[in-house]
Amino acid sequence: MAWGKSCPLAFNLHIRNNNTFCIEAYRVRRECINDRDDGRQYKYDANVKKNLSFVTSDMEAMYQERRNRMLKACVGREAEMKGKKTAKYVKNNIIIDQVLGIAYCPVEKIASTFWKRVLRLVVGEAHAKSPFDSTVIALANFNDMTSIPEGMVDRFMKESLTFMFVREPYGRLLSAYVDKLFSPNLYYWKIYGGFGVHVTRNESTECGHNLTFKEFVKTVLYADEVNQKRDGHFTPSYEHCDPCRYKWHVIGTLDTLSQDIFYILDRIGRTDLMRSLNKDFREQYLNHTILDQFNWLFFFRDSYANDCNVTFYEAQKRLWKQFQIRGVLTKESEFPLTTEESEGLTKTKLMSIVYNAMGNAEKRSKARKNKAEAIKEAYSTLDRDDLDKLSKMFQPDCDLYGYDCKPEQLFNTERTVIEPWFFKYDT
């Protein structure tokens, strides 16, 4: 691989096997990333500004502020900010494309599956018009940072468009619990729920389907302490991306997800994807999330009872409660089926029932308030000592990305356990 070779004025093209794919329709001076026998590759020029009204000076300033905060937090703390993940893990985790000169660090529970779908389209490995198209496969191998020689990594990261996404850590941890252990997720009931039951109850089971949030947090803290069974969904964001080593250019957040997506797509030059996503992005994202949950529910349909002694009716009620926790359904929307009615239900019919229960805009607005109530309920069950341990575990994320590691709503001195509703299976 020959770095530093001067390339002529050219379109941003990927020329391989006599096929030419136009990535961007404007001319810029490029620098070759490499020059192989099978074709030439030109890197993305991060300094080029598109003549689009979407990107404003305020947005540029916001992203610079986020990056400056990260870099400031790194000063003198580089070793601390690596966490317990190995350098090899991080390099394997970072998705790159040398043609476009982009690098993305996926972090579980922060729209990582969505971004993998987007990148399938961006790098030309899928040809749909939208990342929500069912033909776009997220969970397949990408090129990662290990494909670049170590001595060339710094230059690649400096001259490429690099981005990652972060999320408020307490909300992310609860979301992971809801998605992987409270919901009817047979896979995680076995690989992590059983481990949690052993840690917290000193019992042996192959299926920890009833692990409480309090027990889950104790399990996460234990796994962190002994550095075993540290699942990526439950570990802090910074460990996945080694921010002090790679100095990410753009830091998106879940709170500004749609804006950050459009900003990055604009920088890459994919205005076609911007247009497809701009058509009610929030609704498209929600619909895809709902479909994904139903796909998993029916995938495990015949295994819940055999493997975990959970009926399909009980699994459906858990999914319904998950939608209430996530702010999709109101608390007043009761699960409308009997045991007998639920057993012969098709996926299409059950999805129709959920969408009918979602109702109009007023009901949806009311349902979204559930999220704040659910997080208060869940964290009210924790011992103060465990809350303090979580705060310590999350501290690097808070310092790097500007979050409050001791939010008042969770750490106030007059904490009382809230009577469970969201996390009670039979309500």
Side-chain angles (χ1 to χ4, degrees), residues 75-91:
V75 176
R77 301 173 64 187
E78 289 82 1
E80 175 190 351
M81 296 302 189
K82 289 182 181 294
K84 297 177 181 178
K85 300 287 188 184
T86 65
K88 181 179 180 181
Y89 168 90
V90 175
K91 291 187 73 173

Side-chain angles (χ1 to χ4, degrees), residues 49-63 115 250 256-271 274-275 277-278 281:
K49 305 292 184 183
K50 310 293 187 302
N51 186 25
L52 296 175
S53 60
F54 176 77
V55 177
T56 66
S57 58
D58 287 344
M59 290 171 60
E60 296 281 12
M62 178 188 70
Y63 293 118
W115 263 111
V250 179
T256 57
L257 179 62
S258 58
Q259 174 181 297
D260 298 335
I261 289 169
F262 294 146
Y263 175 80
I264 292 167
L265 289 176
D266 177 59
R267 294 289 300 272
I268 297 173
R270 291 304 302 265
T271 55
M274 290 173 65
R275 286 191 293 270
L277 293 174
N278 198 37
F281 169 77

Side-chain angles (χ1 to χ4, degrees), residues 30-295:
R30 305 277 177 185
E31 185 178 77
C32 284
I33 285 184
N34 62 13
D35 194 349
R36 302 178 182 172
D37 292 337
D38 64 349
R40 291 166 293 164
Q41 298 183 355
Y42 299 94
K43 75 180 287 296
Y44 173 82
D45 187 343
N47 295 317
V48 172
K49 305 292 184 183
K50 310 293 187 302
N51 186 25
L52 296 175
S53 60
F54 176 77
V55 177
T56 66
S57 58
D58 287 344
M59 290 171 60
E60 296 281 12
M62 178 188 70
Y63 293 118
Q64 188 60 53
E65 180 182 356
R66 290 177 182 177
R67 186 169 191 259
N68 288 344
R69 179 191 295 115
M70 175 190 70
L71 296 177
K72 182 178 179 181
C74 286
V75 176
R77 301 173 64 187
E78 289 82 1
E80 175 190 351
M81 296 302 189
K82 289 182 181 294
K84 297 177 181 178
K85 300 287 188 184
T86 65
K88 181 179 180 181
Y89 168 90
V90 175
K91 291 187 73 173
N92 278 309
N93 185 49
I94 297 173
I95 296 171
I96 70 164
D97 187 85
Q98 296 185 46
V99 178
L100 293 174
I102 57 176
Y104 162 60
C105 181
V107 180
E108 290 91 335
K109 301 308 301 173
I110 317 180
S112 59
T113 301
F114 168 79
W115 263 111
K116 289 175 182 178
R117 290 177 174 275
V118 170
L119 291 177
R120 289 285 176 214
L121 299 177
V122 168
V123 303
E125 294 180 3
H127 304 289
K129 294 182 179 180
S130 167
F132 296 117
D133 191 293
S134 61
T135 63
V136 182
I137 307 300
L139 302 180
N141 291 333
F142 285 89
N143 289 330
D144 59 50
M145 189 62 78
T146 61
S147 63
I148 298 180
E150 182 60 33
M152 300 178 181
V153 168
D154 287 345
R155 181 171 181 179
F156 175 79
M157 293 297 288
K158 181 179 180 180
E159 297 182 353
S160 299
L161 176 65
T162 69
F163 60 98
M164 63 173 292
F165 278 73
V166 298
R167 180 178 183 177
E168 192 280 318
Y170 293 95
R172 175 174 173 259
L173 186 65
L174 178 61
S175 177
Y177 168 74
V178 171
D179 188 38
K180 302 304 179 185
L181 290 155
F182 182 83
S183 299
N185 191 319
L186 192 69
Y187 178 73
Y188 267 86
W189 285 354
K190 289 184 174 183
I191 69 164
Y192 204 86
F195 171 64
V197 168
H198 174 72
V199 168
T200 59
R201 305 178 197 170
N202 197 27
E203 298 174 4
S204 179
T205 178
E206 293 185 0
C207 187
H209 64 87
N210 59 355
L211 195 72
T212 67
F213 183 66
K214 181 177 182 177
E215 292 172 327
F216 165 73
V217 168
K218 288 184 178 296
T219 304
V220 169
L221 292 171
Y222 172 80
D224 185 69
E225 180 183 352
V226 300
N227 200 22
Q228 294 179 4
K229 286 273 192 177
R230 299 182 74 246
D231 186 278
H233 293 83
F234 316 138
T235 52
S237 299
Y238 74 97
E239 293 197 14
H240 298 254
C241 304
D242 197 352
C244 301
R245 166 73 172 84
Y246 293 107
K247 300 177 175 61
W248 301 91
H249 293 143
V250 179
I251 301 171
T253 76
L254 202 65
D255 293 331
T256 57
L257 179 62
S258 58
Q259 174 181 297
D260 298 335
I261 289 169
F262 294 146
Y263 175 80
I264 292 167
L265 289 176
D266 177 59
R267 294 289 300 272
I268 297 173
R270 291 304 302 265
T271 55
D272 58 322
L273 288 179
M274 290 173 65
R275 286 191 293 270
S276 73
L277 293 174
N278 198 37
K279 299 173 183 176
D280 203 351
F281 169 77
R282 183 173 182 171
E283 192 72 13
Q284 291 186 74
Y285 195 93
L286 175 61
N287 290 340
H288 189 269
T289 300
I290 291 173
L291 176 60
D292 187 58
Q293 294 298 320
F294 276 109
N295 285 340

